[in-house]
Amino acid sequence: MGAGTEPDGSSRPDEEWERFLRESVAGAADAPKEPSARARDVAKRLRAEPGHGLEGWRSYTPTRPKRRTGWYVVGLLASLVLLVVALAPERTVDLFAGADSPPLAAETARPAQAPPADAAQRPTLDEPFRGSPAASWASGAAGITVPKARAVGWMGAAEVERALARSRDFLVASGLDGRVLRGERPKKAIALINPHQKDVQDLLQTAFRTPSEKNDPLLLFSRFQPSRTQLVGDLVKTRGRLTYREGERGALEVTADVTFVYPVTRAEAGDEEVVRTIVRRELVLSWDDPDKVITAPDTFSIVSYKYDMTNGGCGAPTGYFTPPFGTDRRADEAGTEIDPYDRSAPVGLGESSGDECGKATRS
């Protein structure tokens, strides 16, 4: 039987032979071992065409095909997501709103600008940080960056490291301790303050008994009245850092700049309204040389303190934050407007301006 003849005697078209030979060049498993005269004639013509020489076939080593199953699955899922967005864009935000936001890197310097605007989403009991930049902040002490220690003034590197750790301990004891947040006296925090610093000790002696604008526990501590307000969940979001330098008389001077976000609701059972009280504190602490300043071991003196506060109440001092709920929120919107999440500018209220209450541009 001729090379170009089918079993029924018909002639095989040249186009089919050309296709057959090209498949053989590509490594087809059923390529004939001894091409017929007709096939050799077609091959000769293919060699004369640009790009169809057979020399490449002799040197070609077929590679094992790679599996693409994973990419096919990813592509299918991506297509489904795009379909959902196209058909119901208003549901897309709700679909992903419950997912945890990716955590931000630790703050090591003052940011250049405020966080971007958030989706207009109200906090809930299940998601108290929903619709807030704080959703991607760390919780508790993890949100307070402590720098690497080096020798400063009268302290070696190891002593500076200990002082920085104790400074953060004060922030935890004064702004994160659950018992203090529920209104108890901040004993652990007070124990870290130099007992020989008269002005601060005078404040502490009267602040918890008869709070006033001058002597208010909120100048240093975060407290809520449990009969009126309760925290939502166990997490308080934080963002900030410690810095240090050499202060007066060779002291180690530590500056703490930290924002605390407290989600709260009414103490009454069944209430679902969530308000976020946001407090940004700046404290300057001096770890003094005991040979030059009268102090107690492992205590610091407070050089200065100031804070910005929103959604914490703007009435007469009570020694507690009094977050406004319901219609009270409109009456409480007084004071200087501030973005409580903007950490790009210095703390502007508190002791330095005599106005501890600010109106939040967002909460």
Side-chain angles (χ1 to χ4, degrees):
M1 185 179 296
T5 304
E6 296 293 330
D8 60 359
S10 62
S11 176
R12 179 177 296 178
D14 287 352
E15 291 82 357
E16 290 188 21
W17 272 105
E18 289 180 15
R19 177 178 58 80
F20 179 76
L21 191 57
R22 288 192 180 96
E23 291 177 353
S24 299
V25 171
D30 56 350
K33 297 180 180 179
E34 287 289 338
S36 65
R38 181 71 173 273
R40 289 196 296 273
D41 181 61
V42 174
K44 183 178 181 180
R45 288 193 293 107
L46 285 174
R47 280 197 296 270
E49 295 181 14
H52 291 290
L54 298 184
E55 292 300 321
W57 172 50
R58 293 180 183 135
S59 61
Y60 174 71
T61 302
T63 56
R64 183 171 299 175
K66 297 180 180 179
R67 294 184 177 271
R68 300 288 185 178
T69 306
W71 287 108
Y72 294 151
V73 174
V74 172
L76 178 61
L77 292 176
S79 299
L80 291 175
V81 170
L82 291 174
L83 181 61
V84 171
V85 173
L87 295 179
E90 73 282 356
R91 302 291 298 276
T92 306
V93 172
D94 291 336
L95 180 66
F96 295 99
D100 291 334
S101 301
L104 289 178
E107 183 179 287
T108 56
R110 178 172 291 171
Q113 58 188 12
D118 315 294
Q121 297 176 316
R122 291 184 176 276
T124 65
L125 294 176
D126 293 330
E127 298 180 79
F129 301 102
R130 185 174 183 239
S132 159
S136 59
W137 291 7
S139 302
I144 305 172
T145 304
V146 179
K148 183 178 180 180
R150 55 177 174 79
V152 172
W154 71 281
M155 286 186 169
E159 293 171 305
V160 170
E161 183 176 17
R162 176 175 173 79
L164 291 172
R166 300 284 278 176
S167 298
R168 187 169 68 169
D169 288 345
F170 178 80
L171 296 172
V172 172
S174 62
L176 295 172
D177 187 303
R179 290 168 296 184
V180 176
L181 294 177
R182 290 189 294 270
E184 294 187 19
R185 190 180 180 90
K187 296 179 180 179
K188 291 182 178 180
I190 292 174
L192 291 168
I193 301 174
N194 182 4
H196 302 285
Q197 188 178 8
K198 188 177 185 306
D199 57 342
V200 174
Q201 292 302 322
D202 288 344
L203 182 156
L204 296 175
Q205 287 176 11
T206 59
F208 297 98
R209 184 175 63 253
T210 54
S212 63
E213 290 186 5
K214 182 180 179 180
N215 298 309
D216 189 346
L218 301 182
L219 294 172
L220 295 171
F221 314 105
S222 295
R223 306 167 74 229
F224 296 89
Q225 193 170 17
S227 62
R228 182 185 185 278
T229 309
Q230 65 180 8
L231 289 168
V232 178
D234 299 323
L235 299 181
V236 174
K237 293 287 188 171
T238 58
R239 187 156 182 83
R241 66 194 184 279
L242 302 182
T243 57
Y244 64 94
R245 66 174 187 176
E246 184 174 347
E248 295 183 4
R249 296 179 291 275
L252 171 69
E253 188 174 280
V254 178
T255 298
D257 180 355
V258 181
T259 300
F260 303 82
V261 183
Y262 304 101
V264 294
T265 188
R266 289 187 181 94
E268 291 86 351
D271 192 280
E272 296 186 356
E273 181 183 3
V274 177
V275 171
R276 288 186 287 253
T277 297
I278 307 166
V279 184
R280 181 183 174 191
R281 295 189 183 277
E282 182 183 289
L283 297 169
V284 181
L285 314 176
S286 181
W287 292 88
D288 299 308
D289 183 349
D291 292 336
K292 299 177 180 178
V293 176
I294 299 175
T295 185
D298 285 332
T299 66
F300 55 78
S301 298
I302 298 179
V303 177
S304 65
Y305 50 86
K306 52 185 176 181
Y307 72 98
D308 290 341
M309 178 269 293
T310 57
N311 290 335
C314 292
T318 63
Y320 304 98
F321 290 129
T322 55
F325 297 98
T327 57
D328 292 339
R329 299 189 67 175
R330 290 192 295 270
D332 200 67
E333 292 179 348
T336 306
E337 284 194 353
I338 60 172
D339 179 353
Y341 298 103
D342 184 1
R343 296 184 45 79
S344 64
V347 178
L349 302 179
E351 184 193 51
S352 61
S353 66
D355 181 9
E356 299 87 13
C357 188
K359 177 182 177 181
T361 58
R362 56 176 169 171
S363 61

